[in-house]
Every structure is written in structure tokens, then in C-alpha cells.
Amino acid sequence: MARRARAIRERQAATGVPASPHIRRALPFFDPLDPEQIEKIEEQVNWLIEDVGIAFRDDAHALRIWREAGARVEGDVVRAPADWIRAECAKAPSEFTQLARNPARSVTIGGANQVFAPIYGAPFVRDLEGGRRYGNMADFEKLVKLTYMHPALHHGGLVITEPTDVPVSKRHLDMLFAHMTLSDKPHLGAITERSRAQDSVDMAEIVFGREVMDANCVIMGNVNTNSPLLVDKVVTEAVYTYCGRGQGIVVVPFILSGAMGPVSTAASVAQAMAEALMVCAFAQIIRPGAPFVLGNFLSSMSLKSGAPTFGMPEPVMSNYAIGQLARRAGLPLRCGGSLTASKIEDAQAAYESADAMHSTMLAGANFVLHAAGWMEGGLCTGFEKLIMDADRLGSYQKILDQGLDCSDEAMARDAYGEVAPGGHFLGCGHTMRNYQTAFYEAQLSDSENVESWEEGGSLDMRARAHRRWQAMLESYEAPAMDAALREELEAFVARRKEALPDAWY
Amino acid sequence: MARRARAIRERQAATGVPASPHIRRALPFFDPLDPEQIEKIEEQVNWLIEDVGIAFRDDAHALRIWREAGARVEGDVVRAPADWIRAECAKAPSEFTQLARNPARSVTIGGANQVFAPIYGAPFVRDLEGGRRYGNMADFEKLVKLTYMHPALHHGGLVITEPTDVPVSKRHLDMLFAHMTLSDKPHLGAITERSRAQDSVDMAEIVFGREVMDANCVIMGNVNTNSPLLVDKVVTEAVYTYCGRGQGIVVVPFILSGAMGPVSTAASVAQAMAEALMVCAFAQIIRPGAPFVLGNFLSSMSLKSGAPTFGMPEPVMSNYAIGQLARRAGLPLRCGGSLTASKIEDAQAAYESADAMHSTMLAGANFVLHAAGWMEGGLCTGFEKLIMDADRLGSYQKILDQGLDCSDEAMARDAYGEVAPGGHFLGCGHTMRNYQTAFYEAQLSDSENVESWEEGGSLDMRARAHRRWQAMLESYEAPAMDAALREELEAFVARRKEALPDAWY
């Protein structure tokens, strides 16, 4: 580990950016559950799978597949021996690589790897100058560029905001084109309709070519189950389209504890596990070995209003619990993010995001959607918030990548030959050799004294973030792309747009 | 654990305040160091103690005590066999109780117990109305009242701000009198001069009586070593005064990594351990069994300005490391806090405070000074910040006190008999039985939708905190106190004030 930490430090010093396109964790995981707690939750998962069952709705084909595979199907409720479901799940890889257009940005998901991606699905955007408004394609493109440029974001996600000025029926085409051309980081595909998922897979095939795609994961879909205990057609069709083509899928039960699950963290975690494992088994029946990410999104509730709350003890605890359970299941995990209910980029937003994200990182979440930019319970993407969160992600990346360096150089024994009791280490040899890479340099934290800070205009973090993302966009340069490839993508988008009617649902 | 969690929940529901005056942790500790890392650091600690040595300066008496005890003293540098130092340290209790004037508020420090106290030592205060200014006695009294009233603060600390309108020579008397009369939570005593420490011990004896004090810890001093590797008279005199009377001491090497210690987290942690263990051994020689808290305060540095930075990966990692090392040493630990370099209560303040404090709580810090109210690298106490941080401490308390409840009731099996796939748990029996205690109700987080929030005046967390602390002070009622005791304390303070000259240093 010491040698690795040193190599990372040297590359960071040389390039100013993380050496890796994702995190390869040196820090151990935090496993807080004792064997009794694990047994209790896993028994409950088994009970939900075997006795209670999960409904697969509005998809007769899915029920047929389950029946033929040997499950017990009554109405649309599927029950099956938990051992068999777990055996199917074991066919999914415990880690896999999603290729990026730029091979240096390919990410490995699972195991000790952690990948951060921005917020997904917010219809609104907010920035300090423009205020809160519906997101549009111009906002979307800016957000793709910022995500591309930020070293602590490893993956583009997909719907960084909803470009609401584009018809829903065509929106996925413009979003995918933006990710594929303005960035060379990996990203997700659409899932809202089967044809849109298919378009995503087809466009990925244009970028990567059939042979590469046959042998690799190059795109993934991210879908929610319809908790409690319900899997709808959006999920099964995404499985057919993505996993059927050997591509990946992220399946996320979204549970507001007390509404879509019991008002208990342990029970809601068990329910989420049961739902996700059933879809994982289904995906493995469709295509053994298909990359699968077990998702978990648990939120707590305000008793005053029934509104979801974030960064609270219950979802923090669920992050820690699901991390340990997912590792036992041998499946890559998606959970957490920089989550908050705050409407603006204030202290509430930051406290809640940090507690949500600190637990997410320590829990070992392998794929973290919503790692930056999330505001207002997910309804709004903040331009400043994106950059502020990402600055903190860089801090988490250092903690995870390096752990505690205990190499001989780190122990600094020679320094004590130079420094007397009560003296200082500022100029000693060890300090001179190491100070440039010793500390994480946060871009948006101000550590000046109050006088300097006031002279600089008394800017709060939000104001500094506003300046920073604008400066970043000014220096944006698109990653290189083969002209013929770009034309082929353009032609595909144009052809599909012609074939599709404008529709706003 | 399940039964305990349930009892706590029931008491919380009944009283609205935490059942315990401190945290009795149900969550396991996070121990990230592997045996090789531990060995490396502990070897370095031993090497510093045996070969490099620690200077004890300006106190010939201390050197004499060391020499008589068998240490090797050259000049003022003390070296000793590490085994012997560790054997002396083993005489300190691994946990002890500090009595409060109100027995229901006594705290246990060490082991699985965690105690939160506010910021210590800031000369400035800031609030939304009054801005930034020197702290005075009126501010101090307000801060003592708020600390007394907040259920997530278990201990008063001492210098919540410096009351700069009172001469330094008399300040400790007014501060102690305020803590003793406006609050009934435990607090610290003064350390800046031996006579002030003695006044603190004498006033505590008035409150608790000689017999109780002979048999219990009722007051503690909190001192910094003069890193690197230097222990000055302030520390040794505090040891004589507090430990000599069987009272407690918290010894905290404050290391800005790269200045007062090597520019390496592991080396700075080892140095802090060596310094603290030497003082612990010294305290045990003075009074075997004296309550001792091993302190650690490590900060990182901005390369731009050399200013200390907080909430960064290096001090986060040092919290996790020192937690594990202190448990191995069998000593109660002080580290961390809600720390930030920000000048105001913005997102920077909250991100940094949350990352610093999340790691502090997970690391198992037993006594957390600076857990609320810290701003500007410790120079300024924020009224809003105090209340904002404390609201988050309540969240940490729930995580730690309860861990993950996996009781039969928490597994909610009966709920699945009532709720169909795709249905909801809002009105089911399990939810009705449990919703009132299921979620932490943050006081200062707004989870309303944007429309309601705007109707309410678009207040940020800082504005809500301002209203809240003012409302708290309006409803303040002093804890009951025997009139004769109060008079005795008043007479002591008056007598000492007459004897002491006004001095401003």
C-alpha cells in the first residue's frame, strides 16, 4: 500500500488530477453489523423472496420466464427458493469494467472500486445568477461539460438535469449525443421506454463498435423498482434491452421508510435487498453474467410534513448496513450520494450532503449516482452545488485511495534529527520532500484569516463556486473525436428524431 | 441491544430529550488500521519516548520527579523505557465518571461512552444580528445557557468564548461561577496559571463538598502540550493541581502537520501519542489512578497561505487512526469536533464541520470539545453555528445510541400482511406503533417543498438558527440551586477578586 500511495502522490503532483479514473480503495470497509443482525436481515430477505413474493406487473413475458425457470407464480406474484435466487445472483460479476470512449476513463465497478457520478433526474436547475428554473438543453450541456472537467467525478450519469425544452420522446437522443461528444467519460443510457433504451444501446454500439460491445460493458441502465415488492415493465424491459445485449443494469429500490417500506431501517433495507436480488436473478436468467449493480435508496421522513429528509441518522445507518450486506452478497453496490432537502446551497445542504456522502464513501458504495449537484430532495440540480460537492468528493477520494500512509518515508524519522523540542518542521528535509503532496488542496474552501477574506469581498462558498464553474466553462475544450464517428451519431439522432413524434410524456 | 434501543426510544418519546446525559454507544468502532500499520506507529511512539525524548521545561520539580521515578533526564529532555511508560499509563482508568451538580447529568468518559462539549477558547463571537466582535461576559452567559439547554451537548466545556471585558486575572472566576449557577451540566476548570487551576478546584469543592470530591472526579483541566516534544509548566502545574487532588486532566498535543509535527499524518499521530503518554505517565506518578484523557488535535495546512485547514482528508484520517490507537492503549480519547476554517455559517463551514465530526463520532472519541460553535479555525464562536452543529450532534447521538435496531418489532413482518405489492405502509399497524420514534426530527433542517419554503420567507439555515437560539434564551430557566451554596460561591469569587490585581495577560 505504501508504494501505491507514493505512486499516486507522485502522479498527482505531476498532473494535478487524480491518477485513477475512479477510486481504488486502500481504506478498509466499515462493517458495523454483528452476525446476529446479519442473520436477522438475511432471514427476512429470504422470507420476502420465498413466502411474501415480489410482483412482476404488466409483463406476461417476464412471468413466463419466471415460470419456465421454476419459480412459483401466482397472479403476478413471484415466489422462489431463496437459495436458488442467490445462486442465480452469484452468476453476476462481483466487479466489472464499464468502458469509456477514452480508455483512460474506463471505470471498474464493484470490489474495492468506487465511482462517483452527478445527480440524475432533476427537472429544475438553480444557479446564483439565474435562480431556480426548469432545466433546458443549454443547462444540460453545461452540466455535462462540468462533469467531464471535474477530476472527482468519474462517470457522467445521464439526466444531470431534464432538458425540458426538448420533447420527452426525443430528449434521450440529445442527452446521449451530448454525453458522447462533449465528454469522454462513461455514462448511462435511457430507460423510460423500451425503444429509448434500445436507442441508447444502438448509439453505444456506434461509438464502441459491435465487437467491443459484444465483449464488454459500455453502457448501463439505471431503474427503480416500484416499492414495495413490485417490479414493473420499465425494469423488465430495461433488463431485456441492456442485459440481453450483455450490458449492465443498476436496480434501485427507492424506499421512503414508512411509505414504500416499513417505518424501520432494518426492515426497509431487507425489503430493498429482496427486491434487488429478485431482479438480479431475473437478469441472470436472461443473460448469465450480465453486469448488475444492487441499488439502495432509503430516505427518512419529516413527521411535520411527511416530506422525505436526507442526511439523517436512519439513511446514514442504512448506507452502512447495505454496504456490508452487498459485500456478503458479492454484488456491486449503488447507494447514497450528496443528498439534501435544502432548497439552496446553505449550511443545511452541506451538513446533510456531507453526512450522507461520508457514510456512502465509508460504506464502500461502488457506484454513487447523485454524488454531486443534488438539491431540494432531488428536484433541482445546483450548478454551485455540483462544484461544491465535487470539491468534497476529492477529499473522500484521497481518504479512500491512500488510507494512512505508514511507509518509512511517512514516519519521517530523519526530521527528528533536525528539529528540537518546541521547534518547527517547516523547513526540514522531510517537509521539503513531501509538502507538495501532503495535503488535499480544496478548491472552494477559504482558509485565509478574516481580514484577508473580508478584503477579498467576504464571499461565501456559494459565491466562490459560482465564479469557479463559470471559469471552468470558459476554459472548456471538447475531447477529441473522430469526425466520421461524430457524423454517424448525428445521422442516427436525425433519423430517429424524424421517425419519432414530438411527445411531452 | 434491541431491548436497549427500544427503551431509549420509549424514553425519548416520553420526554423529548435523549434518555442519557451522554452517549452509550451501541454502534461498533471503525478500526481501519491493519496490524502492520499499528506496529509501525507504536514502534515510532516507543522510539520517540525511549530515544528521542520529551522535554519538560521550566519546571525543575517535574524533572526531579522523573529522575526519582527512574527516567533518564538529560538537560530537560526525559527519556524512559516505553514499557515502563505504558505500565504507568495503564494505572489510569479506561473509563471514569465526571459528576455534575445535577447527578442526572453526570457523564462517563471512556469506553463506549461519548460526551459532546462546545467550542473552547475563542476570543471572538459572531451572530447574525451583531456580526463579529470580541466576546464579553454577556455573550458568555448566553452561551452557557444555550449549552445547558441543548440536549445534544452533554458537558459545558469552559471558555465557550473569552469574556474579554473581564480582566484575565479574574476571568476564570466569573466563567466558573456562570457554569456553576446558570447550568447544572459538568464543566472544566481553568489552567492558564496554577492559582487559577487551584481556584477552579476550590470552587468545585464548594459545590460538591470535600468527601464527594475525595472519591470522585468532579472537575477536569484541559491543556495543550507545546509540540513538538515539549511539555511546559502550564501542563505540569495543571497535573499537580488537578491530578494531585484526584481530579481529571485532558492532555492535547495540538499539531499543525508540517509545523508542530512532520508533514505526515502517521508521524504526527505517533508524536501526539508519545507526548500524551509521557504526560499520562507523569500524572500517574503524581497520583496513580488519576483520570486522564488522551487528546489529539491534528490539523492540515493550506499550501497557499500556510493557514490551518479543517475537515480535510488528513485530519479525518487522523481521527480514525487515533481512535483505534487510544483503545489499544486503554485510555479515554479526546479528538475532533465540528471544525472549520470558514468565517461564516455557510456551506464550507457545514461541509468541513460534518466531515470532521462524522469521523470524530465514528472514531469513538470519548470527550469531544469543540463539538459545536467552532468557526474561523477556532478564533470565533458562532451563536448560530453552536445551534446548527448541536442539531447535527443529535443525529450522531441517534446513530451511536441505537445502531441498527434488528428486533422482531423492527423487522415489521406483520406489516407485510397488510400492504399489497405497490401499496403503502402509511397507515398500517406497524407504522402507527412506531412512527413517532422512528425518525430523528432535526430542528433546523427544512424539508418543505420550495413553494412552502418561499412562503415562509426563504430562510436559510442560519436565519432559522438565529430565531431558534433567541427563542431558546427567552424560555431559559436557571436550574435549581441551594441559596447557601450560591452565596458561598459568590463570597469565594468576591474574596478572590479582591485579592487579585486586575491584569490583562
Side-chain angles (χ1 to χ4, degrees), chain A residues 44 228 264 271 303 311 314 343 348 351-352 355 389 392 396 398 410-411 416 422 441 445 448 464, chain B residues 44 228 264 271 303 311 314 343 348 351-352 355 389 392 396 398 408 410-411 416 422 441 445 448 464:
Chain A
Q44 177 102 341
S264 144
Q271 182 188 310
L303 285 187
E314 303 80 23
K343 271 58 70 182
Q348 178 190 343
Y351 280 118
E352 293 177 353
D355 278 327
D389 287 337
R392 301 305 298 172
Y396 299 135
K398 187 178 173 193
M411 298 320 287
Y416 290 96
E441 279 283 318
S445 279
E448 302 301 299
R464 296 192 297 272
Chain B
Q44 177 102 342
S264 144
Q271 181 187 309
L303 285 187
E314 303 79 24
K343 271 57 71 182
Q348 178 190 344
Y351 280 118
E352 292 176 354
D355 279 326
D389 287 337
R392 302 305 299 172
Y396 298 135
K398 187 178 172 193
D408 288 343
M411 298 321 286
Y416 290 96
E441 280 282 318
S445 278
E448 303 300 300
R464 296 192 296 272

Side-chain angles (χ1 to χ4, degrees), chain B residues 97-161:
Chain B
T97 296
Q98 182 186 351
L99 297 188
R101 176 160 78 82
N102 174 350
R105 301 195 189 276
S106 297
V107 295
T108 301
I109 296 174
N113 306 283
Q114 294 186 235
V115 172
F116 297 152
I119 180 173
Y120 185 110
F124 297 97
V125 293
R126 185 187 275 272
D127 80 90
L128 208 48
E129 223 165 315
R132 183 180 187 271
R133 59 194 187 273
Y134 276 105
N136 61 31
M137 201 60 211
D139 293 316
F140 185 88
E141 290 184 348
K142 285 179 194 165
L143 292 164
V144 170
K145 289 176 183 176
L146 291 170
T147 300
Y148 163 65
M149 294 178 83
H150 206 293
L153 291 167
H154 316 110
H155 192 285
L158 180 67
V159 191
I160 314 185
T161 185

Side-chain angles (χ1 to χ4, degrees), chain A residues 40-59:
Chain A
K40 204 79 183 271
I41 294 174
E42 292 189 343
E43 262 179 19
Q44 177 102 341
V45 173
N46 295 352
W47 173 73
L48 289 168
I49 291 171
E50 294 186 352
D51 295 349
V52 178
I54 312 281
F56 281 68
R57 195 150 292 173
D58 297 329
D59 185 355

Side-chain angles (χ1 to χ4, degrees), chain B residues 310-325:
Chain B
F310 301 92
M312 294 300 159
E314 303 79 24
V316 163
M317 204 51 232
S318 83
N319 282 337
Y320 288 130
I322 194 71
Q324 191 170 352
L325 293 164

Side-chain angles (χ1 to χ4, degrees), chain B residues 24 162 481:
Chain B
R24 174 90 199 164
E162 286 284 355
M481 185 175 224

Side-chain angles (χ1 to χ4, degrees), chain A residues 7 35 121 137 140 170 182 202 212 228 288 376 391 486-487 497:
Chain A
M137 200 60 213
F140 185 87
K170 303 178 174 178
L182 302 175
D202 292 346
V212 171
E376 220 189 295
D391 203 25
R486 189 188 169 91
E487 275 166 34
K497 279 193 169 181

Side-chain angles (χ1 to χ4, degrees), chain A residues 37 313 317, chain B residues 1 5 26-28 397-405:
Chain A
Q37 290 173 307
M317 205 51 230
Chain B
M1 197 187 91
L27 194 75
Q397 176 147 2
K398 187 178 172 193
I399 293 169
L400 293 171
D401 268 342
Q402 303 195 9
L404 188 68
D405 182 0

